[in-house]
Amino acid sequence: MKKFNIRKVLDGLKEVSSSTPSVQVGPQENHLIQETLQSDHFQLCKTVRHGFPYQPSSMAFDPVQKILAIGTQSGALRLFGRPGVECYCQHESGAAVIQLQFLINEGALVSALADDSVHLWNLRQKRPAILHSLKFSKERITFCHLPFQSKWLYIGTERGNIHLVNVESFMLSGYVIMWNKAIELSTKAHPGPVVHISDNPMDEGKLIIGFESGIVVMWDLKSKKADSRYTYDEAIHSVAWHHEGKQFICSHSDGTLTIWNIRGQGKPIQTITPHGKQPKDGKKPEPCKPILKVEYKTTRIGEPFMILSGGLSYDTVGRRPCLTVMHGKSTAVLEMDYPIVDFLTLCETPYANDFQEPYAVVVLLEKDLVVIDLAQNGYPIFENPYPLTIHESPVTCCEYFADCPVDLIPALYSVGSRQKRQGYSKKEWPISGGNWGQGTQSYPEIIITGHADGTVKFWDASAMMLQVLYKLKTAKVFDRNRSKEDKGSTETSDEDPFAIQIMAWCPESRMLCVAGVSANIIIYRFSKLEVTTEVVQLLEVRMQYELNDIESPDGGEPALPTPGASPQTSGPPSHPSTSSNNSDGGNMPCLKVRSTPLKQSAGYQVDLVVQLVWVSGEPPQQITSLALNSSYGLVVFGNSNGLAVVDYVQKTVVLNLGTVELYGSNDPYQRQPRSPRKTRQPSGGLCDINEGSATSEDRCKSPTSAKMSRKLSLPTELKPDLVFLSVCPPRGANPLDHRDNSFSRSRSSSVTSIDKEAREAISSFHFSDTFARKGDSTLTPCLYVGTTLGTVLALALTLPPAGEQRQLQPVILSPTGMLVRLKGSIMRMALLDSTGSMLPPAFEPWFEPNVTADGEEREKVRKRRPVSVSPSTSQDLNESQYAVVCSEKQAKVISLPSQTCIYKHSITEASFILRADVVQMSQGVSLACFCANGHIMTLSVPGLRPLMDVNYLPLTDMRIARTFCFTNLGQAMYLCSPTEVQRITYSQDTCENLQEMLGELFTPVETPEAPNRGFFKGLFGGGAQSLDREELFGEISSGKANRSLAQHIPGPGGLEGMKGAASGVVGDLARARIALDERGQKLGELDERTAAMMTSADCFSKHAHEMMLKCKDKKWYQL
């Protein structure tokens, strides 16, 4: 079997996928279906990004626009307004964002990056763009400060210097504050990098500069010298002003806070160690951890707030990170779940020289965003309306559903609203800027995420938003308290035994089935009523692949290597929800189902648990494929051993087959067993799996033991008492790795002797009403099975009538042979009708399972889409159905019931497909593929014409491969980071309307009035002192900056963006000043031209007069 090493993907496989189609068209079907999809209907673009910003590094808040900005270590920028208004931007360099500064109420943002570049973003566009960039080449940026309503940005550097940048032109000023001018001449050591810059709230001409070594300098901007210096023997991390401008506070590396008067230069007036133990003998308190940031906020009524992060005592080992709020004599220590990256205090006013009136604190953690209400006792947190909990437990799988039933989201929201925690602040979410988009996209969309801790989350993804609807905890089904003996016997060293691996969901019937890494399947029904389940229904299944029968020398019965685990010796379970504990690990499930009553709230309630058990001392193999059909009442799952079909209505296993047994005598692969098989008598087609065969116990271990007698129909060449071999990779392994590592990870020494073709795994399933056999004229329920060797096999289903008979009569499955073979593992199968429309699988409408109602109400009405086959029409001229099959390499379309291949297309040669879906677009049906080399392709169906091929995303992480999924109407998604979901569209219609769908970040808001100075302050000069920064920092007075210091780079924002960004107060003033300058210049030029014309006229007059006098007395002949 040809293998494709997944490691090639991680190495950045970038071969261009083959676009050369290999099409075979049958003579009759050439013009049967008029395809409506064209290349013009497809366009690929990103839409929105949801989730918590991965690895955040900085934060800023616009107090007037009420917009929050978060920068990350990968150069990403996430902007948040009111719930539903989000925006994602990315710096091209990918360098970490070290600081963000809003141009408050201007619709612009300044970002400083770790690569020493500064960028100006225009937020007045729906998709923000960079207007200007400045790249420093000689000095490293450490701190930035932009005063409110100023156009001059202070940039502090690692060398201790401060440069000024005009944010309108993004040009450097010639005014520079050098470190050696700022410190005292007698100081021998360098003061270190600049860690803080801010101007005095009451005097814009005085700038405070904090150096890392502990020196703070008060710099007079006008006189260009230091007014005062404040020295402390501990390193400084942050500085904060009192709003009156007479005091400031510093936080230090030894966990202390020092408060200074601006006039007192010697010692701080107060030193506080918030978390230090005060010794009785008057000595200095013990040093604590550094206080990384402090903010000092005042109120008109009451004591000021001092808010700080860090500073805990060193003896608090293992204590969680804390935010400390000191208000008057009270000190509140608020523990956080993750380390604190940054915090901001939200205040009523943007003016630094007024009472701040703080009302909330935004705390940015490494993996969460918390907003604390300062106005309520106990400091409760606000309920976060953003979808930032995607990563609450790592996402292991995703599914995306567009155009769902309209009643589904309200139903999920109704049960999910009861799960909400209590104790949140009663106030509205304070980050409330921006406006929602006006998009016309109104169909319901749902995203389902499976997580490592066994939770399943349902999200409302409609209208470019994301909101959690409902959370299901599947781990509740299992007993978490495992003893050491159990752990040792099952070798469960994995940290996430409950992790979700595959999910199957029927939106119409609301049935849910999840498969976990511990080889367990849980089937859920949706109910609006709470119920207590006394005993969780459990089925235990043995799936072991038979290598060969080792014949004994005397020709007797075959000798099995591990008789303790042989089918003949396995006993029934000791409890309906537990398994027997054999000494060799046989019949042991990886997880133990709980034996106590289970209280199940409204929502998804467990209906049945299926577990694969250990066989012959080998753990069960991970489940690689899963499907359910609510109309048939069946769940099917497969792994590298084979497949099993479970009837969840009757709670029984109706089929348990090895992959080889599906082929029967028509196996196309030459599988070489190590020793010859012992021939056995055929079963005659029917066997009672409750008689004699020990596999009956394994297939049908159910609490409803009275219903165990089931008939199983198999071809004569198939054996009823099948034995399978199990090979189990570590449960943390990705199922996508099976194609490479299923042998190397085997714990069984005997597996290495098998020919590789024998490890054919089940890769996909598809239920449908179709033609089971070649030449059939009637539709029957079928199950298509796809394998990793590219084979599609069919199984015909015989279902009992609906109603009471469905509860009593058995479901019979009959393998009908091979449908088609393709290159590579089968990824997706779908069926089309004779017009080319997609045939959805049959489904059962949802009903309330916990109501004891009449038979009429509980009658399960099947809704199957009818497929009309006119008897007068020849089957040769009009085939009834088309099967679309896509593998890792190619796609084929098969005409049914003739089973002839009418179209074939080689999708890729050098790479392989990771995800394929047959999707319904508004104009028709398409096959969408995501390739390992990063290409996203769409093909027409059934003609398999290439319609789009975009080299979108080089696959650098297996997370993308594991979570990428397409859905109907041109939508797709994947996890772009462990905490974020990226949604994209491949629909031209959505791309055209995307601008309208996106929300607006900037909205016109009046800037609050400046605080009143008061009569006496104005009379005696006690109010805030303003500064003409333009006069001081402009080119006329300060000269030109050193050109080699930084390079100015115009941004790609465009003319429209530049107009938008410059349309604020600063921009209006600048334009007015430029217009006046231009007008004055033009008037001056006009005066000069007028004066020149007057001088020329005088000269002409003078010359004319002289000529007249010269010629006055002369005769005509003398001239």
Side-chain angles (χ1 to χ4, degrees), residues 631-869:
S631 177
Y632 307 156
L634 299 178
V635 166
V636 59
F637 58 92
N639 59 16
S640 60
N641 295 332
L643 65 87
V645 181
V646 173
D647 180 351
Y648 63 79
V649 178
Q650 301 183 24
K651 309 291 189 295
T652 56
V653 179
V654 295
L655 186 67
N656 184 351
L657 275 183
T659 316
V660 178
E661 266 64 29
L662 286 169
Y663 291 96
S665 60
N666 300 318
D667 189 353
Y669 303 106
Q670 299 299 317
R671 306 173 204 264
Q672 297 294 331
R674 191 172 49 174
S675 59
R677 291 179 183 268
K678 176 176 171 63
T679 56
R680 294 187 178 183
Q681 293 299 321
S683 62
L686 289 175
C687 68
D688 191 336
I689 60 175
N690 204 33
E691 291 179 1
S693 171
T695 49
S696 63
E697 292 290 333
D698 309 315
R699 294 173 187 165
C700 305
K701 286 180 181 173
S702 165
T704 55
S705 57
K707 301 177 183 178
M708 277 184 166
S709 179
R710 300 288 171 258
K711 296 290 182 180
L712 174 64
S713 173
L714 300 173
T716 56
E717 60 266 25
L718 302 188
K719 298 182 294 299
D721 46 347
L722 304 168
V723 185
F724 304 91
L725 171 73
S726 165
V727 181
C728 183
R731 279 197 298 274
N734 193 296
L736 287 168
D737 294 343
H738 286 325
R739 79 187 88 200
D740 312 308
N741 304 324
S742 56
F743 301 103
S744 61
R745 290 178 178 173
S746 167
R747 298 185 185 135
S748 170
S749 60
S750 61
V751 177
T752 55
S753 65
I754 312 172
D755 187 26
K756 289 186 178 181
E757 271 90 9
R759 305 305 300 159
E760 182 177 14
I762 306 295
S763 58
S764 59
F765 295 111
H766 185 74
F767 284 105
S768 184
D769 286 5
T770 184
F771 301 97
R773 295 169 180 82
K774 187 173 183 178
D776 276 4
S777 58
T778 56
L779 300 173
T780 56
C782 283
L783 170 63
Y784 282 160
V785 181
T787 74
T788 52
L789 293 188
T791 306
V792 177
L793 300 146
L795 290 138
L797 310 179
T798 305
L799 299 169
E804 189 178 349
Q805 294 296 316
R806 180 65 183 85
Q807 302 282 343
L808 301 174
Q809 295 184 18
V811 176
I812 299 173
L813 289 89
S814 305
T816 60
M818 188 170 59
L819 177 69
V820 68
R821 285 177 64 191
L822 286 79
K823 290 181 184 177
S825 177
I826 301 295
M827 306 295 294
R828 189 69 58 193
M829 297 172 282
L831 284 173
L832 311 178
D833 64 12
S834 58
T835 64
S837 301
M838 190 146 52
L839 284 171
F843 63 86
E844 174 186 70
W846 176 77
F847 64 92
E848 174 56 60
N850 292 327
V851 175
T852 55
D854 297 329
E856 292 182 4
E857 290 184 35
R858 296 296 300 271
E859 184 73 22
K860 300 174 183 179
V861 181
R862 283 158 176 71
K863 288 190 175 180
R864 297 194 185 98
R865 184 167 180 171
V867 181
S868 59
V869 182

Side-chain angles (χ1 to χ4, degrees), residues 44-66:
L44 192 70
C45 69
K46 293 181 180 180
T47 53
V48 286
R49 181 173 290 202
H50 304 294
F52 183 78
Y54 183 55
Q55 294 180 331
S57 56
S58 57
M59 177 172 60
F61 183 71
D62 187 327
V64 180
Q65 286 289 321
K66 297 193 182 302

Side-chain angles (χ1 to χ4, degrees), residues 165-187:
V165 175
N166 186 315
V167 293
E168 287 180 354
S169 62
F170 244 56
M171 301 300 289
L172 276 170
S173 167
Y175 191 109
V176 182
I177 303 173
M178 304 297 291
W179 67 271
N180 53 359
K181 300 264 183 84
I183 64 171
E184 293 185 60
L185 294 175
S186 59
T187 306

Side-chain angles (χ1 to χ4, degrees), residues 379-443:
Y379 305 129
I381 65 170
F382 289 85
E383 184 177 7
N384 197 322
Y386 304 137
L388 302 183
T389 59
I390 292 171
H391 65 289
E392 196 170 25
S393 173
V395 176
T396 52
C397 57
C398 295
E399 292 297 337
Y400 190 5
F401 299 86
D403 205 12
C404 300
V406 291
D407 60 341
L408 199 51
I409 289 175
L412 289 166
Y413 180 80
S414 174
V415 295
S417 59
R418 307 176 200 177
Q419 299 177 329
K420 290 188 177 179
R421 289 171 48 194
Q422 303 298 320
Y424 290 112
S425 170
K426 306 240 178 355
K427 294 186 178 179
E428 290 187 4
W429 182 251
I431 305 165
S432 56
N435 282 323
W436 292 307
Q438 303 296 321
T440 57
Q441 187 173 310
S442 58
Y443 49 84

Side-chain angles (χ1 to χ4, degrees), residues 199-206 222 353 1013 1017-1018 1020-1029:
D199 44 359
N200 189 318
M202 286 296 180
D203 188 352
E204 294 176 353
K206 300 293 174 65
K222 290 181 180 177
N353 59 356
R1013 293 174 65 184
K1017 284 188 177 181
F1020 298 108
Q1025 302 295 315
S1026 60
L1027 174 72
D1028 188 349
R1029 294 186 176 94

